Amino acid sequence: MSVTLGFQSPTQLLIDGKWVDGEGRRTLVVENPATQQEVARIADGTPKDARAAVEAAVQAFASWRQTSVYERSRLLRRWFDLVEQDRENLARLMTIENGKPLSEADAEVTYAASFIEWFAEEAKRAYGRTVPATRAEKRILVLRSPVGVVAAITPWNFPAAMITRKVAPAIAAGCAVVLKPASQTPLTALRLGELLEQAGAPAGLLNIVTSSQARKIADVWLDDARVRKITFTGSTGVGKFLMERAAGNMQRLSLELGGQAPFVVFADADLGVTLDALMVAKFRNGGQSCIAANRVLVEEGIVDEFLVKASERVRGLRVGQGLEPGVAVGPMIDAVGREKVMEHIEDALARGARLTAGGSALPGAGYFVEPTLLADVNSDMKIMHEETFGPVIAVTTFQTEKQAVEIANATEFGLAAYLFTQDAGRAWRVAEALDYGVIGLNDGLPSTSQAPFGGFKESGIGREGAQEGLDGFLETKYVSWGSVGIGLGG
Ligand code: NAP
């Protein structure tokens, strides 16, 4: 079974190195959110398939853990090269199943591949250490070992990068993986799996179970003590569920969850730089990004100029199908996503916000919402507390540095915050005072494979990317060697 989109791409489950229909032989429809048309039918995996995936991963782990880091690095490097070569197809798949503009999908291929490249190198740096012991005849060695079989569950908003950010470090560490990608964007995941197979991955190193039964698949993996780590990116609600359930087998957890990013603009900021950054921080992926700027806090003295210039830019954004040239904003992923965005807009307007651009859902096929700017937003409005996940800028004002930080930190989330100022002292003070894991300082696009990405508070646990991203798949073990002796013999 394969889907034809001008090229062949897999639609079956990947288990133990084989493409299979799955136990139930049922299928799941993949839809294009820009047209609401069926794009493909893929295998709809069942709990039995999820168990078969674990069996395969357990077998693969037994030998993969014994490979040298250089062998792992070479496999990842070959995967990286194949992903780069397949750039056009991967980008097209992402635009078709997620809706994002093709240029953004192309940028996501670069971003996704960068994790594979980074961890191909970082594999070689899983260093241990020796520690001076309290007794002269003893030696203490600290070793790093792979955590074991890893279960990864990923969202639809970055269909490629959220997978490589987990699978590449897991493979680098010596782990085997069972993956359940989002049911709305499975085609990108399956193609990445096919490319890893072509790179020469041993059977069972990566197993992919696409399914409409996320909870049941997760239950199988949570109940199996041989699965030693759950790595999840998605909503905070599902993250909390997984955390509770993982306690049963004390599985390790990494959780990359929701955000409610403040975007703080001081009067001394360079307004051109700030607005360029805001367009990216807000409208990338139609605002459906965990680090999307949700609340824009502008110092009172410059708010009028800010609103005029920002509204002009927002009105200039072209909305449409991602495959059309010049489109800057695609559709929301589905009707539920669009409803939530409209609910935030309507709630803000009912409570006194002022519309300066957009404000409506577009009629016809596709889940489109106009790029929108709301002024005079206040803390009673939903948009100031919940993640909007849509193309809406909500502007509120502040008077002092202290007040800006208080408003910015007034949320249970703590993923990303943005800060715009040309005053170096203020930049340090405010960056240190913000309770967030990622700070964009005069930067609207802080995500990168070399930096440790993750959130404070309800935005998650653990970090992905950088050295920390590899650490998440390693256990620490020490060997206390009691009888080395003192001085030289003979
Ligand atoms: P979601 O509903 O939590 O889904 C994420 C994944 O979990 C999907 O594969 C989904 O499967 C699966 N899932 C759903 N219910 C589950 C359950 N009870 N048990 C186990 N798995 C379950 O989130 P989403 O709407 O796809 O993604 C948007 C959220 O992800 C936003 O909150 C966003 O901020 C967050 N996010 C965070 C980061 C970060 O790095 N912090 C990055 C990207 C996105 P189905 O697709 O089959 O439902």
Side-chain angles (χ1 to χ4, degrees):
M1 193 164 43
S2 69
V3 61
T4 307
L5 303 155
F7 56 93
Q8 299 284 308
S9 207
T11 56
Q12 291 168 292
L13 312 178
L14 175 60
I15 297 178
D16 203 14
K18 297 176 204 74
W19 294 97
V20 295
D21 287 338
E23 173 230 2
R25 303 185 77 82
R26 289 186 319 166
T27 56
L28 170 66
V29 172
V30 183
E31 181 190 279
N32 180 341
T35 60
Q36 294 178 242
Q37 282 170 352
E38 181 176 320
V39 175
R41 280 175 187 262
I42 58 153
D44 190 358
T46 64
K48 194 171 173 196
D49 298 316
R51 274 188 285 279
V54 175
E55 293 300 334
V58 167
Q59 296 302 319
F61 174 59
S63 42
W64 188 248
R65 68 182 303 176
Q66 295 179 36
T67 55
S68 79
V69 291
Y70 280 77
E71 188 175 331
R72 297 175 203 165
S73 174
R74 281 192 293 272
L75 173 68
L76 289 171
R77 183 72 214 185
R78 287 193 296 273
W79 192 24
F80 167 78
D81 288 338
L82 290 170
V83 168
E84 282 288 349
Q85 284 163 27
D86 199 48
R87 161 177 299 280
E88 223 174 285
N89 292 337
L90 278 167
R92 215 179 146 75
L93 279 178
M94 270 191 268
T95 293
I96 287 169
E97 64 180 357
N98 165 285
K100 63 179 68 188
L102 196 57
S103 58
E104 280 191 28
D106 181 71
E108 186 176 340
V109 176
T110 303
Y111 182 46
S114 78
F115 287 103
I116 306 175
E117 186 181 39
W118 170 266
F119 287 108
E121 298 301 329
E122 204 59 14
K124 301 168 191 166
R125 280 177 272 285
Y127 300 143
R129 65 189 196 274
T130 62
V131 181
T134 47
R135 297 171 62 102
E137 75 279 10
K138 272 196 171 191
R139 299 293 182 273
I140 294 175
L141 316 175
V142 179
L143 310 176
R144 313 301 311 280
S145 53
V147 67
V149 170
V150 170
I153 303 177
T154 55
W156 49 264
N157 62 344
F158 291 94
M162 297 304 97
I163 290 174
T164 57
R165 200 163 79 168
K166 296 178 187 310
V167 174
I171 290 176
C175 301
V177 181
V178 293
L179 165 69
K180 196 213 78 67
S183 47
Q184 284 157 316
T185 57
L187 298 171
T188 308
L190 294 170
R191 190 152 188 102
L192 284 170
E194 183 180 42
L195 295 170
L196 182 60
E197 294 289 295
Q198 284 171 14
L205 188 64
L206 172 65
N207 306 276
I208 307 179
V209 182
T210 51
S211 176
S212 60
Q213 305 178 61
R215 166 78 193 263
K216 287 187 178 162
I217 302 299
D219 277 339
V220 169
W221 294 345
L222 288 157
D223 289 337
D224 193 328
R226 295 171 303 170
V227 175
R228 293 311 319 146
K229 164 130 190 169
I230 309 287
T231 173
F232 171 75
T233 298
S235 58
T236 296
V238 174
K240 286 183 180 180
F241 159 77
L242 293 172
M243 193 167 178
E244 281 180 29
R245 287 284 278 100
N249 282 311
M250 203 58 81
Q251 286 154 321
R252 283 21 181 177
L253 271 178
S254 294
L255 302 173
E256 294 285 348
L257 310 177
Q260 228 287 8
F263 187 102
V264 184
V265 186
F266 286 95
D268 62 35
D270 177 321
L271 206 49
V273 168
T274 305
L275 289 171
D276 286 348
L278 179 59
M279 292 299 115
V280 178
K282 178 73 256 185
F283 294 107
R284 188 167 64 115
N285 205 17
Q288 301 168 110
S289 146
C290 53
I291 60 167
N294 219 68
R295 296 168 289 152
V296 179
L297 282 52
V298 182
E299 194 167 342
E300 213 163 63
I302 59 159
V303 73
D304 291 339
E305 184 188 0
F306 180 91
L307 285 172
V308 169
K309 291 187 170 159
S311 306
E312 205 173 291
R313 294 218 189 186
V314 173
R315 285 192 288 263
L317 293 170
R318 188 160 157 229
V319 182
Q321 291 195 32
L323 291 178
E324 283 171 19
V327 164
V329 179
M332 303 297 92
I333 191 72
D334 56 21
V336 175
R338 180 172 60 182
E339 266 163 39
K340 182 169 187 201
V341 178
M342 291 313 297
E343 188 190 315
H344 279 197
I345 294 174
E346 282 154 19
D347 169 78
L349 292 174
R351 291 171 194 270
R354 183 162 51 91
L355 197 62
T356 70
S360 306
L362 298 184
Y367 308 109
F368 294 99
V369 176
E370 281 182 305
T372 296
L373 200 154
L374 295 166
D376 302 343
V377 166
N378 64 50
S379 61
D380 296 337
M381 301 172 185
K382 281 186 185 170
I383 203 158
M384 287 291 277
H385 304 285
E386 297 172 19
E387 190 178 33
T388 307
F389 243 49
V392 185
I393 294 178
V395 179
T396 190
T397 56
F398 65 87
Q399 288 169 336
T400 64
E401 202 173 285
K402 186 164 177 280
Q403 196 192 9
V405 170
E406 279 169 6
I407 300 172
N409 283 343
T411 168
E412 70 269 26
F413 294 108
L415 187 57
Y418 302 87
L419 157 64
F420 290 79
T421 177
Q422 296 192 81
D423 176 330
R426 166 176 282 157
W428 272 111
R429 283 192 303 275
V430 176
E432 285 174 359
L434 289 168
D435 293 331
Y436 288 84
V438 180
I439 307 288
L441 171 57
N442 296 329
D443 185 3
L445 190 57
S447 309
T448 177
S449 54
Q450 317 95 59
F453 185 99
F456 285 21
K457 302 196 275 187
E458 294 200 10
S459 288
I461 290 179
R463 294 293 180 271
E464 290 187 334
Q467 272 170 295
E468 286 87 344
L470 185 63
D471 280 348
F473 295 95
L474 294 168
E475 284 281 14
T476 299
K477 175 192 293 183
Y478 77 86
V479 178
S480 178
W481 191 347
S483 57
V484 174
I486 302 170
L488 295 174

